[in-house]
Amino acid sequence: MPDLVIYDCDGTLIDTETLYGEVSLAACHALGLTEWTIDHYVDSIVGIPWSDGVKIIEAAHGRALPADFEQRIEDAVALRLESELRALPGVREALNAIGGRRCVASSTSVAPLRRNLAITGLIDLFDPHIFSASQVPRGKPHPDVFLHAAAEMGAQPRDCLVIEDSVPGVPAARAAGMAVVGFTGVSHDKSRSTVRLTEAGALAVIDDFGQWPALVAGLRA
């Protein structure tokens, strides 16, 4: 192993997490959740489908969110994407060095997922093998999106390796029967994230794509 490397996208290949975190946290503060910090956002929202995140925010807020809440966030993020969104350093070089089969399996819905990969110039590395939790019944931490990706790629779960930045993504990969490596490249608190990803079941944690080819080569050996 691995026959197939499965990449999470947001916070792993590209740094959308910073943009969404800043915008979403400001929106939560505007609702009155002023006690929420970036750690609240990361611990509660990152790595799960937005529909599940809404339930968490509503529970903390004590009432339903405005009907246009998600659209406000998307509009605010969209204003920043074209000028600020970037691929993580070394992604293309690392993927080219690794070679072999690869795909994306993300909690982000298909349209923005493909848009963000295109903006960052990475879509050619994966297209058409780009899969979303919106295509399956349950999002992370359930294994559905990883099992869907493996099935579409004709790979056995035991022969797949996942790289994930979020705590929900790690048990999702483990529940799918896959090995998983944690990634802390965009984390604002790398030490804390490393501990949380390791405790969730990551077999290793890296913070730079320069480390990725050697780790994959070691597993293949």
Side-chain angles (χ1 to χ4, degrees), residues 65-83:
L65 295 179
D68 65 343
F69 187 75
E70 180 181 5
Q71 194 58 52
R72 292 181 199 172
I73 292 173
E74 290 293 341
D75 290 346
V77 170
L79 292 174
R80 299 175 59 179
L81 282 176
E82 292 288 347
S83 60

Side-chain angles (χ1 to χ4, degrees), residues 76-150:
V77 170
L79 292 174
R80 299 175 59 179
L81 282 176
E82 292 288 347
S83 60
E84 297 184 42
L85 187 58
R86 298 289 185 272
L88 272 293
V91 168
R92 180 173 291 274
E93 294 81 359
L95 269 61
N96 286 337
I98 290 167
R101 302 200 305 147
R102 56 181 175 251
C103 68
V104 168
S106 171
S107 291
T108 302
S109 56
V110 175
L113 176 58
R114 293 184 62 85
R115 174 201 64 199
N116 293 344
L117 286 168
I119 288 173
T120 53
L122 298 180
I123 196 166
D124 65 293
L125 293 172
F126 299 98
D127 202 24
H129 308 305
I130 298 169
F131 309 109
S132 165
S134 64
Q135 299 170 314
V136 296
R138 303 174 301 176
K140 304 170 187 177
H142 299 288
D144 301 26
V145 69
F146 291 128
L147 293 173
H148 173 67

Side-chain angles (χ1 to χ4, degrees), residues 151-177:
E152 290 292 312
M153 298 294 291
Q156 294 297 316
R158 65 177 178 271
D159 297 325
C160 297
L161 173 66
V162 175
I163 180 168
E164 260 282 356
D165 76 304
S166 74
V167 169
V170 173
R174 292 291 302 273

Side-chain angles (χ1 to χ4, degrees), residues 47-63:
I48 64 175
W50 175 249
S51 58
D52 294 333
V54 167
K55 296 174 184 176
I56 293 170
I57 297 171
E58 286 182 336
H61 185 40
R63 67 192 71 176

Side-chain angles (χ1 to χ4, degrees), residues 1-3 5 7 94-100 161 181 203-204 206 209-221:
M1 75 88 68
D3 170 56
V5 181
Y7 292 82
L95 269 61
N96 286 337
I98 290 167
L161 173 66
V181 170
L203 63 86
I206 62 172
F209 268 95
Q211 302 165 277
W212 187 226
L215 193 156
V216 174
L219 290 173
R220 285 176 173 164

